[in-house]
Every structure is written in C-alpha cells, then in structure tokens.
Amino acid sequence: MPDIIQLLPDNIANQIAAGEVIQRPASAVKELLENAVDAGADEIKLIVADAGKTLIQVVDNGKGMSETDARMAFERHATSKISNIEDLFRIKTMGFRGEALASIAAVAQVELKTKRADDDTGVFIAIENSAVTTQEPIAVPNGTSIAMKNLFFNVPARRNFLKSNPSELRHIVDEFIRVAMAFPNIFFSLTSNGQQMFHLEKGTLKQRIVQILGNTYNSKLVSVQEHTDYMNIYGFVGKPETAKKTRGDQYFFVNNRFIKSAYLNHALMNAFDTMIAKDSFPMYALFIDLDPSQVDINVHPTKQEIKFEDEKIVYAFVQSAVKHALAQFSITPTLDFDLDASIQQLDAVSKPFTEEKKSSASSSSLYNTFTQKNQSHFIESKSGLKHWKDFYEKDTPRAIPVQQEEAVLMPSGYHPQTENLVQLHNSFIVAQTVRGYYLVHQQNAHERILYEQFMQALDGKPIATQRSLFPVTLNLSATDAVLLQGLIPDMQQLGYLLEPFGSNTFVIQGVPADVSDGNEKIAVEKMLEQYKHFSSDLKFSKREKLLRSMALQQSVKAGTTLSAIEMTSLVDNLFHCITPNITPNGKPTYLEFKKDELDKMFGR
Ligand code: ADP
Ligand code: MG
C-alpha cells in the first residue's frame, strides 16, 4: 500500500486559510483599511465596484514598503508587527497575524503599488493564485495602493455564495464606518461604482459621528468620559429620545478596534434602564482603552470578538460611566451643542463650580455609587447656564430632521419689522418685534430661504434659466462627472442648463439670473464640492442633498455688507418661510431676545 499523506501546495493552503479571514468583500475591505491605518496614513481612500465583487482598492498615504517587503507581505505569516509571542500582549496595531495579504492573494487578482518617502521609485507587483506575475519599478506617490480584482475568481463555490450587491455593499459600508469612526483624525472616503458615498474630513470624534450617523445626532449626544488607572472610557451616547426601534448605531471599540459584545451591550442597556422604552436601542459610540495585556484579541480570526482578562470590571465600568454621564445630563440638561460653542465664552459659563452645586450633584446616588479611589471625576455643572438657557432657548428652535420638518406657525406679534434694519459685523441683522428683537444670522437665514425656494422649484415651479451667450465648458474628474450626470434633470429645474459633451466634459448653456456672468463654472463646481460633503449622509435622497448643497453654496456669506433693501427682503422672505427658524441642517437662523428678559437682566 502506498503512503497517502501529501503536503498541500502553497496556493491551496492559502486558499483554505483565506476562508477564515476573507469571507466576503467586506472582510477584505476591513483588512486593507486596517493595514492602511497601521501604515500611519492620514488619508485613506476606498474604491469599490460591484459591491467589491469586481474591485476593492485601498489607497493610502502611509509609510509604504520596500521592494523586498512588498513581496514578503504576501507570504503567509509575514508580518512586521510582531516578532515573538510576548508581542501579542503588547499589540498596538490593528493587524498582527500576517495572514490578510496572503489570503487575499490566494483568492483574487492583486495589484500592489507602493513607495516609501525615502525611495526614488516605487514598486508594482501583480499576483494571481498566490504567484507573482509581474514585478517592476513604477513612479507612484508615497504610500500604498492595493487593488484586488475579481474576488474568488478561482473559488467559484465561494463566489456563488456571495449575496446580492446591495447586501454586500451594506457589509462594506459597515466595515468602513467601523474603521472611520475609530480614527477621526484620518481622512476617509468611499467611492462605489464611481459615486462617492462618504467623504469624511478629519475632525473630532463628535464631528465624525455626526458625519457618519447624520445631523440628527448633532445636538443629541451625551459625552461619556471616565478615567481610572485600570481603564479609560470615552465617547458618546445618544440622548434617550434618540433611541430607535432597530439596532444599528451601536459601536464599542476596545483599544480602537471595533468589537461585538453582547455582554457590554447589556451593561449599556442597563445604564439606560427606564430612560428608554423596553424595545428600543440607544445610539452609542464608546471607546474603551486598557492595557493590551488585559485583553486577548486573538480569539477570533477577524478579531471582532475579544476576551477581557476581567470581564466583570469592564462591565461595571461601562455601566457606571454611562449612568454617570446620563445623570449629569438629566440633572443639568446641556445646551444644544450648536449653541454651546458661542455661549461657552460667557461669564456665566466659565464661572467656577460653587460648593452648593457640587453638593447637589454629589448627593445624587449615581454619583455616590461611582465615586471610588483612583477615579478622577469631572463633574461639570452647566447650571450656571440655566439663566442664559431660558433666555435663548424658550423659542429657540431645535434641530428638526428634515423628514419630519413641520411648519412653524408664527403668531402675529412675532413677525419683526422689516424696515430700518441694522446690520452688525456684516453678519447679523437686528429686527425689532413687539416683544423684543431678533438677531438674524444672515447666512443661515438665506440658506433657509433658498432651500425652500429650491424645493418649490423641484416641485414644479422651475427657476428661470438665463441662456449664456458664451457657454462655458466644464472638465471634471470621472467620479464628479458621474455625479453631475445624475443631477442634470434636477439642476435644470433649479435653473442650470447643462449638457454632456464627451468624456467627463459638460457645457453650461445657462444659469439662473442671480448667478453673475463669469461665475457659472465656479457655481457648479462649488455646488458639486458641497454635494460631496453631504454624500456621507446616506439617509438623504439625491434631491435632498442637491437642495441642501445649492442652498448652502448660494447663500450670502457672513461678512457681506447688505443694503437696506437686501436686508428687508431677507428678513421678509425668512419670516414667510414654512420653517423660518432653522437652516436645513438644524442651525438656528435667528435668536430671540425678549424685552422683559432684558429688563430683568438690567434689574428692572
Ligand atoms: P498584518 O497586518 O497582520 O501584519 P498583513 O498580511 O495584513 O498582515 O500585512 C503584512 C505586512 O505587509 C504588514 O505587517 C505590513 O508590514 C505590510 N503592509 C500591508 N499593508 C500595508 C500598507 N498599506 N502600507 C504599508 N505596509 C503594509
Ligand atoms: Mg493586516
């Protein structure tokens, strides 16, 4: 009888191993994005076609690879991130198993372009079936671009197993969001079939959350922040009223790695307790940092499940940190964040915490249960603001998401005088009412007016186009061209007459009367730029994004001197809007100052 055991060839072994790491396009996306983060990039672009089935490409501006490393990277167990078993317990990088690229090279056609800053030329490597087919020098920017084409081309069984494009794309977006949320200091974009879905500028965590989850959260986030010797937690939870009937906006990160944990989710739900309905789920994005030796991230090939050295401590910590944050928020409701920044400088806010307030905060039982050794509490009191809050907020609009935007009925007496208006700092307009005065923000107000005008235009009252005597041509990138092409019919309603003219080129045949000669091109380009910023808002329709972009882009900017007639027409138009009090994004368009409140403040 012959011996029957044989060693599998490398490419087969890699294909089998790949099954663990690369289950679907989204898993490859996760690995490639994490590699780019590990490479120190601060700009990461993800490009997919056919929900990743035909193309997944990640372009980063990170540290790049040498020629030898570039080849090595595709070997199984090839990693620059650990060199011995102890390193596993000091992991600061996202990757460490050295499997991702080897797996990808086994199940897709891969093209790598990479260059280090100190090298004169970069290297291009093409791989198929785990074998290098091309390797040559190439002129490329610093950083790395990895394109993987035709995922599972050589494993038909797996390819057939993939879900529909919308479903696979959804998985990709989920992975993209998880990485992008954890690194707000990195620029991320996601382009799918030539259309940009996300364009996430660098910013704070709060800005990133709002960019990703939408503006409705802008004034609805409660900050969570606790520090101990053992671990830190920071991030945001949604105010109870934002809880949804569906799971979804829930993110835990441990040492910046997104994890799934029913256990920690339970801790969080416990903290919300009776503040939300039984069958609803609060939004959260919480970051737990602790010594890497206290977690084992190597219990699962995709590292989404982890083991804590001491689960119970983590549970208790998460629960009380969130309770604490919620308690603070309900004892002394915070101002809407939008107003926060401008009011922060006021004396009433910067005044120190008085003993009286401190004791009222600390008599809360939640505060007591949480106070223990080694915990530096940061109990902020915003009650100094209360007075200011009343003053501003009674009639000050709250952000209302557009879907449920309601008409604000303005009783007579609320309408301001529209003559003898005064402009301050070329940015604000003071308009007297019977009860006091409004301080109108000219740009925000104009944005609201334009938004409603444009909405009417799309609903059937098109804005007149002025045909240009000298049509201007517009050359765009391929992505922008695809974008603009899709907007042509709606833009025509808004007064822009655009005609496609060969590859990525358009001719501007006409624009609305108020776009001045010579500015046609800029107007369209800026609108597109603005549109892309809104692209991260998945919940907005194409039309809604267009409306918002146009309104924002065409609004008269702060710093512009307005004539008496312009001010009158602005204030008049504003108070004839259906929703005069906020911009489409929920920023206030005016603040009301009441005479009797003013009298009180002056001791009268
Ligand atoms: P791991 O990330 O676990 O180390 P991978 O297979 O994902 O394993 O990557 C192998 C190695 O290739 C990494 O350790 C790193 O040195 C290098 N590498 C991968 N992607 C990049 C990138 N985008 N930029 C620079 N180096 C990279
Ligand atoms: Mg990796």
Side-chain angles (χ1 to χ4, degrees):
M1 286 287 258
D3 297 329
I4 52 172
I5 298 180
Q6 50 176 331
L7 273 178
L8 289 174
D10 264 0
N11 62 328
I12 307 286
N14 280 340
Q15 271 184 16
I16 294 172
E20 293 220 311
V21 191
I22 310 296
Q23 284 130 5
R24 54 171 14 129
S27 358
V29 163
K30 169 178 189 283
E31 295 296 336
L32 294 180
L33 290 177
E34 289 186 349
N35 279 348
V37 170
D38 284 346
D42 71 352
E43 211 180 284
I44 301 177
K45 297 175 190 152
L46 168 63
I47 299 152
V48 299
D50 282 337
K53 292 172 188 173
T54 51
L55 173 74
I56 296 171
Q57 182 175 14
V58 171
V59 184
D60 71 51
N61 66 351
K63 66 180 177 212
M65 284 178 260
S66 72
E67 193 177 339
T68 315
D69 283 350
R71 259 194 102 116
M72 269 292 278
F74 293 96
E75 298 291 329
R76 197 134 54 99
H77 311 305
T79 177
S80 56
K81 298 168 195 175
I82 60 171
S83 51
N84 55 50
I85 194 70
E86 282 78 45
D87 286 347
L88 253 191
F89 303 97
R90 305 190 269 264
I91 286 287
K92 290 258 161 66
T93 48
M94 306 298 287
F96 57 83
R97 293 167 57 113
E99 291 176 320
L101 291 187
S103 301
I104 287 169
V107 292
Q109 293 148 342
V110 178
E111 289 177 9
L112 164 77
K113 295 175 200 163
T114 187
K115 181 174 118 44
R116 299 181 297 183
D118 289 344
D119 295 341
D120 292 333
T121 49
V123 54
F124 171 85
I125 293 180
I127 300 190
E128 198 169 312
N129 275 321
S130 301
V132 174
T133 57
T134 316
Q135 174 170 352
E136 56 197 27
I138 189 177
V140 279
N142 296 336
T144 302
S145 153
I146 300 187
M148 44 180 294
K149 298 180 179 166
N150 306 318
L151 178 61
F152 299 137
F153 76 104
N154 50 358
V155 204
R158 284 198 158 257
R159 196 170 170 88
N160 295 337
F161 203 64
L162 294 177
K163 299 258 163 44
S164 69
N165 281 6
S167 157
E168 294 296 346
L169 187 61
R170 190 69 239 169
H171 284 288
I172 289 178
V173 169
D174 284 348
E175 292 295 354
F176 174 84
I177 286 178
R178 290 162 184 177
V179 179
M181 182 99 77
F183 299 94
N185 51 349
I186 299 179
F187 166 91
F188 284 92
S189 68
L190 165 54
T191 304
S192 163
N193 292 341
Q195 187 113 359
Q196 197 169 42
M197 296 177 74
F198 287 90
H199 180 101
L200 306 173
E201 298 291 352
K202 297 181 198 181
T204 61
L205 173 61
K206 191 188 154 214
Q207 286 165 336
R208 181 60 54 95
I209 292 174
V210 172
Q211 278 177 323
I212 293 176
L213 301 183
N215 253 314
T216 32
Y217 284 115
N218 194 26
S219 53
K220 306 280 182 200
L221 297 176
V222 178
S223 158
V224 176
Q225 190 147 22
E226 298 291 346
H227 303 283
T228 64
D229 287 351
Y230 185 71
M231 61 189 278
N232 299 329
I233 186 170
Y234 63 94
F236 294 90
V237 295
K239 290 184 183 174
E241 74 255 31
T242 63
K244 292 186 184 160
K245 292 282 178 219
T246 51
R247 254 171 223 285
D249 301 340
Q250 306 190 307
Y251 301 88
F252 269 120
F253 299 86
V254 172
N255 294 345
N256 269 347
R257 190 186 299 281
F258 171 83
I259 58 145
K260 290 181 177 155
S261 168
Y263 188 66
L264 291 188
N265 181 59
H266 190 267
L268 194 119
M269 295 301 278
N270 243 335
F272 269 85
D273 195 26
T274 55
M275 297 175 92
I276 54 171
K278 272 244 148 13
D279 53 351
S280 61
F281 305 92
M283 171 269 160
Y284 59 82
L286 293 172
F287 291 76
I288 294 165
D289 285 350
L290 75 179
D291 189 325
S293 69
Q294 295 298 306
V295 272
D296 187 353
I297 42 184
N298 201 23
V299 292
H300 193 263
T302 65
K303 313 182 195 87
Q304 286 196 352
E305 281 152 39
I306 62 167
K307 241 170 51 201
F308 291 106
E309 183 74 20
D310 191 337
E311 250 186 353
K312 291 211 178 82
I313 292 190
V314 183
Y315 184 102
F317 189 79
V318 168
Q319 190 188 17
S320 37
V322 173
K323 268 194 179 179
H324 181 217
L326 288 170
Q328 250 176 276
F329 142 76
S330 53
I331 296 169
T332 55
T334 48
L335 275 176
D336 279 359
F337 286 86
D338 272 346
L339 287 177
D340 229 13
S342 52
I343 295 177
Q344 218 116 51
Q345 290 96 358
L346 299 174
D347 268 353
V349 185
S350 42
K351 262 187 210 149
F353 207 45
T354 66
E355 277 311 312
E356 182 202 335
K357 283 170 199 152
K358 215 183 269 174
S359 70
S360 83
S362 59
S363 63
S364 127
S365 63
L366 290 174
Y367 176 81
N368 289 331
T369 58
F370 206 75
T371 311
Q372 48 179 279
K373 205 170 143 265
N374 293 337
Q375 284 186 354
S376 59
H377 277 283
F378 182 57
I379 300 237
E380 246 177 319
S381 167
K382 291 196 171 149
S383 46
L385 267 176
K386 240 184 148 343
H387 181 59
W388 281 96
K389 195 173 143 61
D390 291 345
F391 188 66
Y392 279 112
E393 281 213 324
K394 261 184 211 138
D395 292 292
T396 303
R398 292 187 311 140
I400 306 172
V402 69
Q403 291 87 341
Q404 59 211 66
E405 199 166 83
E406 284 162 18
V408 175
L409 291 175
M410 303 282 289
S412 61
Y414 286 65
H415 271 278
Q417 278 179 18
T418 52
E419 263 130 54
N420 302 325
L421 298 168
V422 178
Q423 191 185 26
L424 301 178
H425 300 287
N426 289 334
S427 302
F428 306 99
I429 300 166
V430 184
Q432 190 176 322
T433 63
V434 178
R435 316 192 304 167
Y437 66 91
Y438 292 144
L439 191 61
V440 177
H441 189 279
Q442 69 188 39
Q443 185 175 345
N444 286 1
H446 197 211
E447 210 184 309
R448 161 54 62 185
I449 296 167
L450 290 173
Y451 177 78
E452 294 200 6
Q453 278 176 2
F454 295 159
M455 185 137 58
Q456 285 179 358
L458 289 189
D459 283 346
K461 280 186 240 161
I463 291 174
T465 302
Q466 228 168 39
R467 285 227 164 223
S468 315
L469 284 178
F470 306 101
V472 189
T473 51
L474 187 64
N475 287 306
L476 298 174
S477 71
T479 340
D480 288 359
V482 174
L483 251 182
L484 189 61
Q485 180 70 43
L487 296 174
I488 287 182
D490 282 342
M491 287 193 63
Q492 186 160 354
Q493 291 285 106
L494 299 176
Y496 288 83
L497 199 56
L498 296 163
E499 279 170 13
F501 191 74
S503 69
N504 307 335
T505 305
F506 296 82
V507 180
I508 308 177
Q509 299 284 11
V511 290
D514 47 1
V515 175
S516 51
D517 273 355
N519 279 331
E520 303 88 348
K521 200 168 150 182
I522 299 238
V524 176
E525 282 170 349
K526 280 196 174 159
M527 188 285 300
L528 265 183
E529 210 38 55
Q530 196 58 58
Y531 186 90
K532 285 190 277 181
H533 276 271
F534 282 120
S535 290
S536 55
D537 263 316
L538 288 172
K539 64 177 189 305
F540 292 139
S541 66
K542 216 166 77 179
R543 275 189 165 207
E544 183 62 28
K545 282 186 234 171
L546 179 66
L547 283 176
R548 289 179 180 225
S549 310
M550 291 281 243
L552 228 161
Q553 194 263 311
Q554 288 186 19
S555 55
V556 56
K557 301 296 175 283
T560 312
T561 315
L562 299 180
S563 68
I565 297 175
E566 286 168 330
M567 283 192 274
T568 299
S569 122
L570 188 94
V571 172
D572 205 30
N573 283 332
L574 176 67
F575 289 94
H576 280 101
C577 279
I578 299 171
T579 313
N581 56 344
I582 46 172
T583 67
N585 290 319
K587 292 186 191 139
T589 51
Y590 63 89
L591 299 174
E592 181 178 22
F593 292 79
K594 290 194 198 126
K595 183 167 176 305
D596 50 353
E597 302 267 7
L598 288 167
D599 284 340
K600 247 186 264 162
M601 294 186 91
F602 286 107
R604 294 285 160 184

